[in-house]
Amino acid sequence: MKVINLHQQEKELIGQALGNNRHAQQKLYAKFAPKMLGVCRQYIKDVHQAEDIMITAFMKVFTNLRNFEHKGSFEGWIRRIMVNECLSFMRVQKKVKFIEDEDYFEESFNNIESQLSIDDLQSLIDDLPDGYKMVFNLYVIEGYKHQEIADLLGINEGTSRSQLSHARKILQDNINKLKNYSNGTE
Amino acid sequence: MERNNNIEQQIREQFSAREIQPSAAAWDRLDAMLSIAEEKKARRFVLPLRTIGIAAAILVFVTLGTLWYTQTENPKGDAIDGVATKENTPKGNASQPNTIQNEARPATMPESIAEQSNQVTQSTNAATVIESHKPAPRNQNNNRTQQKAVVNQPKANNHPMVNTPVNQEGVAQNNIDKVKSEPSPKLIPNTTEQAVAQHQESTAKVKVSANSLLSEVDGELELTFREKVLKKVSKNYKEAKVALANRNYN
């Protein structure tokens, strides 16, 4: 019942926001902004810059609200807009280019204990090159398939696989270094 | 691709649920951007009305200007015609100085008046009788011969041949005397005016026709062009009005 009520409330807010009701828009913003800022932070290292992109993406959410067809979750719809905005920022502002490299290898992480905090993981991902980071985030965190990633980024599916394998290798190496460092200090 | 990797699974779970509180100014910035976007949308609908109003005002001014221009051109056209007529009169003088000089100097040229009077008398029978009596001086200037005829008439009055037409001659003499004594500007100038007018007309037809034709053609061209422009302008204005009405209706 609570879920239904929440869903109904969300639908009402969306309806009011369509009529440029600023109060309804503020409520929707307050509900989804923290999570969406986390999404942006995955792609952009600077929090302030990530916030700017989040605001721009919310502008697109409210201006294109009539395009939401209530078929999936509203959060998922907003999240896709955030990811697209981050990708366009990285391609345009940072001018990320992908080297067409279809030599990939199946790489998986060693079965190690997950003692790393989210901040540690974030710092490891931040250290990845932009191209590797984008593919890694889209595949691992957002759950896109390689063909979908290739369409989003305008690359080949093979290049997407290659980028992911390189990202995993670098992350593995960095995790091992951290582990060795922590074992060494202990 | 295996997705059940521990690290990747951990990353997925932790990052998908992560929340970072935005700054307090973030909503204010978003609010300002939304307000600007709403104002732009409102302006998009208003601007066409303004532009159409401005366009309508410009059309009105253009039509008024063209109408005023046409009105001011008509006096100019008359002036041109007047100039053409005035210009023709001196030319007419050049071709036939006698008659035009008469018009210019009706009172100071007794010879010309006499000539004109002789024209009048020639229409009567007395002139022929006088001429029959004086054949020799005909070869000379007409003015002098006819003056002599006038002078000799009192002598010829006693002659039996001349008696009968004497009255006519007398009438002619009286007419001539009257003309001599009082060169009436009414009768003679009328004839002279008629003659001059005829000459002017003939000359005007010949000399003014080209200019008048050109001016007429120009006028016709200008009128048609103006008409076209006005028609186009009014048509566009009507179309814009209809489009605006449809948009408002939609």
Side-chain angles (χ1 to χ4, degrees):
Chain A
M1 279 298 286
K2 282 188 179 178
V3 174
I4 295 169
N5 288 335
L6 284 169
H7 181 70
Q8 196 65 31
Q9 285 177 4
E10 188 179 280
K11 204 170 181 181
E12 286 176 4
L13 283 172
I14 291 167
Q16 290 171 6
L18 273 169
N20 293 328
N21 186 331
R22 193 65 89 247
H23 185 66
Q25 289 172 342
Q26 190 179 8
K27 279 193 172 181
L28 286 171
Y29 167 83
K31 184 177 179 182
F32 296 107
K35 200 171 277 188
M36 296 306 125
L37 184 56
V39 171
C40 295
R41 176 65 184 84
Q42 291 169 14
Y43 298 89
I44 298 156
K45 194 173 178 179
D46 185 14
V47 176
H48 299 290
Q49 212 165 32
E51 191 176 90
D52 292 339
I53 291 160
M54 180 201 71
I55 290 167
T56 306
F58 262 108
M59 265 296 294
K60 289 189 178 180
V61 165
F62 289 126
T63 53
N64 296 313
L65 200 55
R66 65 178 65 83
N67 297 332
F68 178 61
E69 296 173 358
H70 294 276
K71 288 182 180 178
S73 69
F74 185 60
E75 183 179 333
W77 186 72
I78 295 175
R79 196 182 183 99
R80 279 195 292 278
I81 293 172
M82 292 289 158
V83 169
N84 287 332
E85 194 63 30
C86 293
L87 292 176
S88 64
F89 169 79
M90 291 183 79
R91 278 184 294 190
V92 173
Q93 297 292 331
K94 290 198 169 184
K95 297 179 182 178
V96 175
K97 290 182 182 179
F98 296 91
I99 298 166
E100 295 293 333
D101 176 20
E102 298 192 9
D103 293 331
Y104 66 93
F105 46 91
E106 291 292 334
E107 184 72 26
S108 61
F109 291 102
N110 291 332
N111 198 8
I112 58 174
E113 292 178 359
S114 56
Q115 294 175 350
L116 298 170
S117 66
I118 192 166
D119 292 334
D120 293 334
L121 290 169
Q122 182 66 69
S123 65
L124 290 171
I125 292 169
D126 288 340
D127 291 335
L128 288 171
D130 289 332
Y132 299 163
K133 183 166 66 180
M134 287 164 72
V135 174
F136 181 82
N137 285 335
L138 289 169
Y139 185 84
V140 172
I141 300 171
E142 304 300 329
Y144 284 101
K145 296 176 184 176
H146 283 293
Q147 185 58 49
E148 292 171 338
I149 293 167
D151 295 336
L152 271 172
L153 300 178
I155 58 175
N156 297 329
E157 188 178 339
T159 305
S160 175
R161 294 177 187 277
S162 169
Q163 297 281 315
L164 180 65
S165 68
H166 286 298
R168 281 173 171 171
K169 188 173 184 309
I170 292 169
L171 273 174
Q172 184 67 66
D173 294 339
N174 290 336
I175 288 169
N176 291 336
K177 283 178 187 177
L178 267 176
K179 189 180 176 187
N180 294 334
Y181 179 75
S182 62
N183 290 336
T185 55
E186 285 179 357
Chain B
M1 187 70 65
E2 293 180 355
R3 291 186 181 274
N4 53 1
N5 189 294
N6 286 338
I7 295 288
E8 286 186 5
Q9 193 174 358
Q10 182 188 0
I11 289 169
R12 190 181 304 116
E13 287 172 1
Q14 289 183 358
F15 278 90
S16 61
R18 182 173 66 170
E19 291 186 358
I20 301 173
Q21 286 295 327
S23 63
W27 167 248
D28 296 334
R29 286 163 57 194
L30 180 59
D31 186 13
M33 288 167 71
L34 286 167
S35 301
I36 291 165
E38 286 166 11
E39 280 180 14
K40 280 182 182 177
K41 274 186 185 178
R43 276 181 194 173
R44 275 181 204 169
F45 185 74
V46 171
L47 272 175
L49 286 172
R50 282 188 187 176
T51 53
I52 287 166
I54 290 164
I58 291 166
L59 283 171
V60 166
F61 282 121
V62 165
T63 53
L64 286 172
T66 51
L67 286 168
W68 177 78
Y69 186 68
T70 53
Q71 286 176 1
T72 53
E73 263 199 357
N74 287 328
K76 286 181 185 179
D78 292 334
I80 290 163
D81 292 333
V83 168
T85 55
K86 285 181 184 177
E87 285 176 354
N88 288 321
T89 51
K91 290 179 184 179
N93 287 327
S95 62
Q96 293 185 356
N98 291 325
T99 56
I100 293 167
Q101 284 175 0
N102 292 329
E103 185 184 15
R105 303 174 185 175
T108 58
M109 298 291 289
E111 291 181 354
S112 61
I113 291 164
E115 183 183 9
Q116 291 169 3
S117 67
N118 289 323
Q119 288 179 356
V120 172
T121 54
Q122 282 176 2
S123 63
T124 59
N125 294 325
T128 55
V129 172
I130 294 164
E131 287 177 0
S132 66
H133 284 281
K134 301 277 172 142
R138 279 183 193 172
N139 294 327
Q140 297 176 3
N141 289 328
N142 290 327
N143 294 325
R144 292 182 182 175
T145 52
Q146 289 177 0
Q147 283 181 354
K148 285 180 183 177
V150 170
V151 171
N152 291 324
Q153 279 178 358
K155 291 181 182 178
N157 284 328
N158 294 323
H159 198 279
M161 292 295 290
V162 184
N163 286 327
T164 51
V166 166
N167 292 323
Q168 293 177 358
E169 289 177 3
V171 171
Q173 282 181 6
N174 289 326
N175 288 330
I176 289 163
D177 291 335
K178 284 181 183 176
V179 168
K180 265 191 173 179
S181 63
E182 296 177 357
S184 62
K186 292 180 183 179
L187 290 172
I188 295 165
N190 287 330
T191 57
T192 56
E193 283 177 357
Q194 286 175 1
V196 168
Q198 287 175 359
H199 288 297
Q200 283 180 357
E201 284 175 2
S202 62
T203 55
K205 284 176 185 177
V206 172
K207 292 185 180 178
V208 178
S209 62
N211 291 328
S212 65
L213 281 172
L214 284 171
S215 63
E216 282 173 4
V217 169
D218 290 339
E220 285 174 359
L221 285 172
E222 286 175 0
L223 283 169
T224 56
F225 178 74
R226 283 198 198 102
E227 284 175 359
K228 283 179 186 176
V229 167
L230 287 171
K231 278 180 185 177
K232 275 185 186 177
V233 162
S234 63
K235 191 180 175 184
N236 291 331
Y237 175 66
K238 283 177 186 174
E239 284 177 1
K241 212 175 176 182
V242 168
L244 176 65
N246 290 332
R247 180 182 264 187
N248 289 334
Y249 180 71
N250 291 330

